[in-house]
Amino acid sequence: VTAPDVVAVSADDPYEVLIGHGLHERIPHLVGAGVRRVAVLHPPTMVEAAARVVHALSEAGIEPVRIDVPDGEAAKTAQVAARCWSVLGSAGFTRSDAVVGLGGGSTTDLAGFVAATWLRGVRLVTVPTSLLAMVDAAVGGKTGINTPEGKNLVGSFYEPAGVICDLDTLVDLPVAELRSGLAEVVKCGFIADPEILTLVETDPAAALDPSGPVLAELVRRAVQVKATVVSADLRESTSVGTEIGREALNYGHTLGHAIEQHEHYRWRHGEAISTGMVFVAELAGRSGLIDADLVERHRSVLSELQLPTTYRADAYEDLRSLMAVDKKTRGATLRFVVLHGLGRPGILAGPEPELLAAAYAAIC
Ligand SMILES: NC(=O)c1ccc[n+]([C@@H]2O[C@H](COP(=O)([O-])OP(=O)(O)OC[C@H]3O[C@@H](n4cnc5c(N)ncnc54)[C@H](O)[C@@H]3O)[C@@H](O)[C@H]2O)c1
């Protein structure tokens, strides 16, 4: 076991993201001194990993309380959160106890929300086990659950005390989930760290090898991009001039969210934003912001990873309506994160309908 990479996030209470192999044994140390009980929230796919974490906590003299939560989005409900509160209440959790979220982004979002709300906030350690959760969901302090009206409508900003990305867990992650997470990694390449693109282009198969060094470097670089962006804009408020702050992370997401809804969430998040990124690249290319080579680079790098880059021609009107009600839209104006060059994100607000339609036609 080599020393983990460490990415620092400067939040209100700064914390570290550890990236490496064999890191689960560090969880007792990260939950901190003085903690007597730790609730370990995990989905059914993480039963064995949860058992190891529980064992490590017991060995460290901490009382573990395992909370089995449903898989995927089914975990992010008020009912499941209420069940977790009830378990914490029965076990006598106090302010000096802690919550660990072990699983994909849906588990870490739920665990964060439970930690943020129990006694108005107890210590939280997130242990993301999917690539998407490592590079996106577990870093940045957003926690939340869904309501019948929509995704992530209830939640809070709540920073973890630490994040552990144990790359060993990625070996069991289905390859489709790995590809989906890589779309967010590639996004970080376009908005901030082009070396990510070079790494993927040089050896796409290595990018998909969960035990190899290339994926480890991609995770570190993507976490660094997210950490840098959120550290500069903790509450998603900056949007001045070219400094667009956290909004940059929404690259490809405006059309991506619309596709997810249009597909009733049968497409994975990364698959939808993959097509969304090609769309905004076309939009930027047609607006004269980036050249044709950079537009084409989106298609080629995402295709190398077998991520989708096209969508149905007949869905345009539906997608336009869905984009118009996206929660990131301000008033009636459609806003897109676009590139003003490689690694230079900016905003394109209110593009002409003809431009939008032409960019869409280019991805059909
Ligand atoms: N808080 C944020 O800033 C933020 C950012 C992006 C996404 N999210 C949220 O994250 C969620 C999506 O995350 P996700 O893609 O990780 O989804 P997920 O949590 O549903 O995990 C996807 C699937 O992979 C399984 N899985 C996870 N790790 C595994 C492993 N190591 N081995 C085998 N199976 C494993 C899960 O059990 C699940 O079936 C959404 O709810 C989204 O809203 C939050």
Side-chain angles (χ1 to χ4, degrees):
V1 177
T2 50
D5 286 315
V6 180
V7 176
V9 187
S10 37
D12 295 335
D13 280 322
Y15 60 96
E16 290 180 343
V17 183
L18 304 187
I19 303 156
H21 296 274
L23 297 181
H24 282 176
E25 66 202 43
R26 292 181 186 235
I27 293 172
H29 174 70
L30 257 190
V31 294
V35 169
R36 286 177 48 213
R37 300 178 195 83
V38 171
V40 181
L41 275 64
H42 67 88
T45 51
M46 286 293 123
V47 168
E48 285 172 23
R52 287 194 296 275
V53 171
V54 160
H55 180 71
L57 288 165
S58 299
E59 292 278 291
I62 298 169
E63 182 191 330
V65 177
R66 245 168 87 156
I67 309 183
D68 208 323
V69 300
D71 198 31
E73 290 297 308
K76 289 176 58 171
T77 67
Q79 289 77 9
V80 175
R83 180 161 65 76
C84 295
W85 292 322
S86 164
V87 174
L88 299 185
S90 308
F93 266 60
T94 69
R95 271 256 171 84
S96 54
D97 295 324
V99 169
V100 168
L102 171 75
S106 53
T107 311
T108 56
D109 272 11
L110 168 76
F113 182 66
V114 169
T117 45
W118 183 252
L119 300 177
R120 299 189 182 84
V122 296
R123 209 169 157 85
L124 165 72
V125 171
T126 43
V127 188
T129 61
S130 72
L131 181 58
L132 186 107
M134 289 182 186
V135 300
D136 197 355
V139 182
K142 282 191 188 178
T143 75
I145 56 173
N146 307 324
T147 77
E149 289 72 33
K151 267 178 63 100
N152 298 323
L153 293 179
V154 176
S156 69
F157 283 99
Y158 193 72
E159 315 287 354
V163 180
I164 290 186
C165 301
D166 189 333
L167 300 165
D168 291 344
T169 58
L170 295 179
V171 172
D172 296 324
L173 188 71
V175 69
E177 299 292 345
L178 200 60
R179 284 185 213 288
S180 172
L182 277 169
E184 290 285 2
V185 173
V186 166
K187 176 198 78 180
C188 293
F190 281 115
I191 63 169
D193 179 4
E195 181 60 24
I196 287 177
L197 305 176
T198 309
L199 282 165
V200 174
E201 288 162 342
T202 306
D203 193 347
L208 283 157
D209 175 2
S211 44
V214 173
L215 185 58
E217 180 167 1
L218 290 171
V219 172
R220 182 180 58 73
R221 285 179 176 274
V223 169
Q224 183 63 65
V225 170
K226 177 130 194 203
T228 304
V229 173
V230 301
S231 296
D233 180 13
L234 292 177
R235 299 283 179 273
E236 205 169 44
S237 51
T238 322
S239 194
V240 186
T242 54
E243 292 296 322
I244 69 166
R246 204 160 167 151
E247 204 174 354
L249 299 168
N250 289 333
Y251 190 58
H253 282 53
T254 309
L255 186 74
H257 282 151
I259 291 176
E260 283 185 286
Q261 289 174 57
H262 197 253
E263 288 292 329
H264 303 287
Y265 295 95
R266 284 176 306 232
W267 278 39
R268 288 179 179 79
H269 178 68
E271 295 165 350
I273 68 147
S274 175
T275 297
M277 284 190 277
V278 180
F279 171 70
V280 280
E282 287 287 351
L283 209 49
R286 280 152 208 278
S287 307
L289 296 169
I290 59 174
D291 62 26
D293 285 349
L294 184 49
V295 177
E296 211 39 51
R297 196 172 183 189
H298 285 72
R299 262 194 197 90
S300 62
V301 70
L302 293 163
S303 305
E304 288 281 14
L305 296 170
Q306 292 167 40
L307 282 161
T309 55
T310 60
Y311 198 61
R312 294 161 41 178
D314 63 357
Y316 181 59
E317 287 309 322
D318 289 349
L319 295 176
R320 248 188 71 84
S321 308
L322 288 165
M323 287 193 289
V325 296
D326 189 275
K327 68 178 174 208
K328 306 271 163 41
T329 304
R330 300 185 184 176
T333 309
L334 283 179
R335 280 168 71 83
F336 295 93
V337 179
V338 289
L339 295 185
H340 289 184
L342 187 54
R344 289 173 47 220
I347 297 294
L348 181 68
E352 293 297 325
E354 299 74 34
L355 187 66
L356 275 177
Y360 189 76
I363 65 154
C364 292

